[in-house]
Amino acid sequence: MNYRHAYHAGNFADVLKHAVLALIIAHLKRKPQPFRVIDTHAGTGVYDLGAEEAGKTGEWRDGIGRILADTPPRDVVEILAPYLEVVRAENGTSESGEADLARYPGSPLLARRLLRRGDKLVVNEAHPEDGALLKMLFKKDPAAKVLALDGWMALKSLLPPPERRGVVLVDPPFEEAGEFHRLVEALGAAHRRFATGTVMLWYPIKDPRRVRAFHRDAAALSIPKLLVAELCVRAPLSEGALAGSGLLILNPPFTLEAALETLLPYLVRTLRQAPGAESRLEWLTGERRTSS
């Protein structure tokens, strides 16, 4: 395993992924019953943006850096609030009152900061170094459990959660062949084990043909209520260059579609890097939900 998310922390793909995760958790908190967040490919949990890895790529500057430097419209501010409150809480403020961005919370820390008493977090990371850092982050935290399994094995072993409520994030590194196929398998397995839960599958957009094939395979499972949300910051040009990222969401909260209808166009305007920037929001299977 060679992938290290420290090089990409806070980039445009993280902004979309983490904003949506925060919205889903906020929706789960509308009911008093406890829930569980499961993160199968968790990384280290928090990232030093001044470290060599983040400095080498500087991707965060065109992601969370642009968001914090902008003044979004009021409706977007409300949508981003659960996410950005955690980001700002991990950082100090400058003399002008603006966030002094030095640390970026990954999905494990973001989720943990949003949980209530009684809610649980299970995070898994197979990379030895990243897993050790993740374990240190949640040392002596009774609400968080850290595992070091293969991410795909962890998904099968952790479902269904005892609470029968929650969200699962599957965010593989895409460093091996067949990751799209594994995502489809994971979707089917998650639905069989946790049919009422929300599952987020993250994927990169490099070759649109592969993404379309992934969507066809996912739709062929005949699982209801699959929502696609994509953000491209440029037109796809080659297999090797990341042009965008997407989320395939099983059982999205009924509030999520309307929030993304507002958020995605804003993210296109704010995070675009080249011609061809666009977003996509559509149901792969199912229809607009009218109740929780």
Side-chain angles (χ1 to χ4, degrees):
M1 295 183 63
N2 298 312
Y3 179 86
R4 305 295 297 278
H5 192 68
Y7 291 94
H8 313 288
N11 69 359
F12 72 88
D14 267 3
V15 170
L16 174 62
K17 175 177 60 182
H18 293 151
V20 171
L21 177 62
L23 286 170
I24 291 172
I25 293 174
H27 181 87
L28 287 166
K29 290 163 66 174
R30 294 171 62 160
K31 292 183 178 180
Q33 294 86 353
F35 60 86
R36 183 168 298 215
V37 178
I38 298 172
D39 191 341
T40 63
H41 300 75
T44 65
V46 64
Y47 301 93
D48 179 1
L49 297 181
E52 179 182 355
E53 295 89 346
K56 188 172 182 179
T57 63
E59 290 184 16
W60 64 270
R61 300 182 188 279
D62 288 328
I64 187 60
R66 289 194 190 184
I67 297 297
L68 291 180
D70 192 44
T71 304
R74 181 175 300 178
D75 53 355
V76 174
V77 169
E78 294 176 357
I79 293 167
L80 288 176
Y83 164 50
L84 293 185
E85 285 172 4
V86 175
V87 174
R88 291 188 173 105
E90 289 302 314
N91 294 276
T93 56
S94 63
E95 294 182 359
S96 64
E98 297 298 320
D100 185 12
L101 192 58
R103 286 163 51 93
Y104 184 78
S107 49
L109 188 58
L110 174 70
R112 181 64 186 94
R113 293 288 187 255
L114 293 172
L115 297 188
R116 308 163 301 185
R117 184 187 299 268
D119 299 329
K120 299 294 183 181
L121 172 67
V122 180
V123 292
N124 180 79
E125 177 52 54
H127 192 289
E129 293 178 43
D130 287 357
L133 292 171
L134 188 64
K135 188 174 288 289
M136 285 296 297
L137 179 64
F138 293 117
K139 186 178 181 181
K140 298 182 180 180
D141 186 343
K145 182 177 182 180
V146 180
L147 303 176
L149 305 174
D150 172 81
W152 307 107
M153 292 178 58
L155 178 68
K156 295 178 180 179
S157 66
L158 293 171
L159 297 179
E163 299 84 359
R164 294 296 198 273
R165 296 186 70 228
V167 56
V168 181
L169 173 61
V170 183
D171 178 17
F174 276 84
E175 64 177 357
E176 298 179 5
E179 297 284 54
F180 277 117
H181 178 68
R182 292 187 183 94
L183 276 184
V184 174
E185 290 185 334
L187 177 62
H191 183 255
R192 288 191 298 272
R193 290 173 167 82
F194 191 28
T196 59
T198 297
V199 180
M200 295 173 55
L201 305 179
W202 181 91
Y203 57 91
I205 299 176
K206 298 179 180 179
D207 182 348
R209 294 171 300 176
R210 292 193 176 190
V211 174
R212 289 194 294 269
F214 164 57
H215 289 167
R216 287 195 301 269
D217 291 344
L221 295 175
S222 299
I223 295 174
K225 300 185 178 70
L226 292 176
L227 183 66
V228 169
E230 294 182 347
L231 170 66
C232 286
V233 295
R234 65 171 69 86
L237 299 176
S238 68
E239 169 62 17
L242 184 67
S245 71
L247 296 168
L248 179 57
I249 308 168
L250 167 65
N251 293 326
F254 76 93
T255 53
L256 186 62
E257 183 182 15
L260 290 177
E261 286 176 345
T262 299
L263 178 61
L264 283 172
Y266 167 78
L267 294 181
V268 171
R269 294 192 303 271
T270 307
L271 302 181
R272 69 184 303 274
Q273 297 179 15
E278 62 181 2
S279 64
R280 177 186 179 199
L281 180 66
E282 65 176 304
W283 290 96
L284 195 61
T285 62
E287 299 176 355
R288 180 189 295 268
R289 301 175 67 182
T290 57
S291 62
S292 58

